[in-house]
């Protein structure tokens, strides 16, 4: 898949804003989510999918659950400590081709179950909009899966990679036994 992704310099951030990617849609089914009972938006869908014993009350508040953060390897027990990460961040997607998409395609990307992952909020803040050439999950056991998921997202959404990003991903895959 990585061989098939176009290599291009990072694009401009001109016109970028998170608001250009409508996210946390109220009805996740249109984006491929199998919404559980009590789910109120895509954020809840991700929390329920990625957690264990997740309970959501009638006011759409998550009242219980546990989430294993793949980035750090720690278990979180407070939903407020969980961020729903865009594995390929919105700003990175913008620089990689999403800046030319219409709003509907950006909304589909921002709410895609394959793009979203429940992670530790602190780790997600450190990651920011960085690609794998600038940030890797502290949990080394997750890095192969992270590289595979990054590549899959870029491939599926026809986003580009920059040369350093591609070199880093190739090196990561070699460490995973892939060629």
């Amino acid at each position: 898949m990585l061989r098939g992704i176009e290599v291009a310099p990072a694009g401009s951030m001109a016109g970028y804003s998170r608001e250009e990617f409508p996210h946390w849609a109220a009805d996740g089914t249109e984006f491929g989510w199998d919404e559980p009972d009590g789910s109120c938006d895509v954020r809840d869908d991700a929390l329920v999918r990625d957690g264990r014993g997740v309970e959501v009350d009638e006011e759409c508040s998550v009242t219980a659950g546990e989430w294993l953060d793949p980035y750090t390897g720690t278990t979180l027990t407070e939903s407020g400590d969980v961020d729903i990460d865009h594995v390929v961040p919105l700003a990175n997607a913008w620089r990689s081709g999403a800046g030319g998409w219409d709003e509907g395609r950006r909304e589909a990307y921002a709410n895609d179950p394959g793009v979203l992952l429940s992670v530790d909020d602190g780790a997600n803040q450190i990651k920011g909009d960085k690609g794998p050439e600038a940030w890797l999950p502290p949990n080394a056991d997750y890095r192969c899966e992270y590289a595979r998921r990054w590549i899959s997202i870029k491939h599926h959404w026809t986003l580009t990679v920059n040369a350093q990003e591609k070199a880093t991903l190739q090196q990561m895959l070699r460490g995973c036994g892939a060629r």
Side-chain angles (χ1 to χ4, degrees):
M1 259 190 238
L2 183 57
R3 286 186 198 114
I5 299 174
E6 179 185 349
V7 177
S12 169
M13 288 297 287
Y16 172 75
S17 165
R18 285 183 62 82
E19 286 72 40
E20 294 294 321
F21 292 83
H23 51 291
W24 310 151
D27 180 7
T29 59
E30 68 181 285
F31 303 106
W33 289 93
D34 180 18
E35 292 200 319
D37 290 339
S39 179
C40 300
D41 61 23
V42 167
R43 175 178 163 72
D44 291 338
D45 295 342
L47 287 169
V48 171
R49 176 196 66 189
D50 297 341
R52 289 183 303 232
V54 179
E55 297 175 16
V56 181
D57 69 16
E58 59 279 346
E59 277 117 34
C60 297
S61 296
V62 174
T63 59
E66 280 189 351
W67 297 267
L68 176 61
D69 168 33
Y71 290 173
T72 64
T74 60
T75 298
L76 307 167
T77 57
E78 297 291 330
S79 65
D81 293 337
V82 180
D83 272 359
I84 308 304
D85 182 39
H86 293 90
V87 175
V88 174
L90 301 178
N92 186 291
W94 183 271
R95 292 187 302 266
S96 302
W101 296 347
D102 66 23
E103 183 177 285
R105 184 157 170 83
R106 288 191 305 267
E107 181 179 24
Y109 178 84
N111 291 283
D112 180 344
V115 171
L116 298 171
L117 184 64
S118 299
V119 301
D120 175 79
D121 63 348
N124 191 37
Q125 298 303 315
I126 293 167
K127 175 187 174 210
D129 69 350
K130 298 175 187 85
E133 71 280 13
W135 182 88
L136 292 174
N139 177 11
D141 290 340
Y142 187 70
R143 290 181 182 169
C144 290
E145 177 59 25
Y146 182 74
R148 290 181 190 111
R149 191 158 183 182
W150 186 277
I151 292 163
S152 177
I153 292 166
K154 290 268 182 149
H155 180 266
H156 176 80
W157 287 95
T158 319
L159 295 168
T160 62
V161 292
N162 66 53
Q164 187 179 7
E165 177 183 0
K166 183 172 184 173
T168 300
L169 290 165
Q170 288 171 322
Q171 179 180 9
M172 291 173 73
L173 291 176
R174 279 192 296 275
C176 301
R179 296 188 187 261

